[in-house]
Amino acid sequence: MKTDKQLRDEVAEELDFDPLINSAQIGVEVTDRVVTLSGHPSSYAEKVAAEKAAQRVAGVKAVVVDMHVRLPNDDVHTDEETASAVRSMLRWMVGLGEDAVKVQVENGWVTLRGVVDNPRRSYLAARTIGQMRSVTGVTNLIEVSGPKAVGDVMEHIGKALQRHAQRAAKHIQIKVRDGTVTLSGKVGSYAERSLARGAAWSAPGVHAVIDDLEIE
């Protein structure tokens, strides 16, 4: 098993390796294989990239994010300007109008609310807005309409897990109720845990995922 110092060095190297990240602005501490990231990334996209970089390192049990986005002066806009830009991006990049998704912006933090018919559109909306330079954070409260049979949802998730995380699929239990998927069991890494969550979100009719997975 890797020591905390080894994990810290490897996380730092992974941050250096990622071209989206200015590692000089991010601090790394590790205690009992739990990584804490601190500092002030210059965008929300960089903050997310740093979190994912830490999760990619084998042996990391969990990641605590204590980073706060500090936008460069050129990227600072009023909340009204940001809201207008967000609505334009949702319309042109994701195909979602104001009737489908409502936008709220507070100090650069964007909250999305609404109902869509496909979980992929909810995912694309949050990802697209998260790439905007004037955004300091995203809360995605977009729900997915259209109830699906429990068996269909479980089959879809099971097949996705077999494609992307076959070893983990054997140790994951899936429960579905009213469009909410609960994942439990044990996985071997943070990456497998992320794959399992992604498989659950990809199923039609899923509007919430509860992650009760443990990392061995």
Side-chain angles (χ1 to χ4, degrees):
M1 182 182 295
K2 297 176 183 177
T3 66
D4 285 347
K5 182 181 184 304
Q6 287 175 309
L7 284 175
R8 183 190 178 283
D9 291 343
E10 290 186 12
V11 170
E13 289 174 2
E14 190 69 17
L15 293 174
D16 284 333
F17 181 76
D18 195 319
L20 295 177
I21 302 169
N22 181 359
S23 58
Q25 299 182 138
I26 299 175
V28 181
E29 296 294 337
V30 181
T31 303
D32 295 332
R33 296 191 295 142
V34 175
V35 176
T36 299
L37 300 176
S38 59
H40 298 280
S42 60
S43 69
Y44 177 67
E46 183 180 359
K47 178 181 177 180
V48 173
E51 181 180 359
K52 290 183 177 180
Q55 292 171 356
R56 287 196 296 267
V57 176
V60 170
K61 182 168 64 175
V63 177
V64 177
V65 179
D66 192 25
M67 297 180 289
H68 303 280
V69 175
R70 184 177 291 169
L71 298 175
N73 290 334
D74 291 344
D75 291 340
V76 176
H77 298 280
T78 66
D79 287 344
E80 290 77 10
E81 291 172 333
T82 299
S84 178
V86 167
R87 283 192 288 267
S88 295
M89 290 291 286
L90 289 174
R91 183 170 64 253
W92 292 107
M93 301 298 291
V94 191
L96 295 174
E98 293 185 27
D99 292 339
V101 176
K102 303 301 181 183
V103 177
Q104 175 183 327
V105 184
E106 184 175 353
N107 296 324
W109 193 289
V110 178
T111 300
L112 304 174
R113 292 183 174 86
V115 180
V116 296
D117 58 0
N118 189 304
R120 179 171 174 78
R121 301 187 83 184
S122 173
Y123 167 78
L124 284 176
R127 188 181 70 173
T128 299
I129 301 310
Q131 298 295 318
M132 295 177 62
R133 296 188 62 83
S134 61
V135 169
T136 59
V138 178
T139 299
N140 184 11
L141 300 180
I142 298 175
E143 298 181 1
V144 180
S145 64
K148 299 289 181 178
V150 170
D152 292 342
V153 174
M154 293 185 67
E155 182 181 4
H156 183 99
I157 296 171
K159 288 181 177 179
L161 284 173
Q162 288 291 336
R163 290 195 301 271
H164 301 295
Q166 187 172 10
R167 192 200 73 82
K170 301 176 183 178
H171 306 284
I172 294 176
Q173 290 79 51
I174 306 168
K175 293 182 180 179
V176 182
R177 181 176 181 180
D178 298 330
T180 296
V181 176
T182 300
L183 302 174
S184 59
K186 294 185 177 182
V187 292
S189 68
Y190 214 115
E192 287 184 349
R193 185 179 187 180
S194 180
L195 284 169
R197 288 200 302 261
W201 275 115
S202 71
V206 172
H207 57 74
V209 175
I210 299 173
D211 181 2
D212 286 337
L213 294 169
E214 298 179 8
I215 299 176
E216 291 180 314

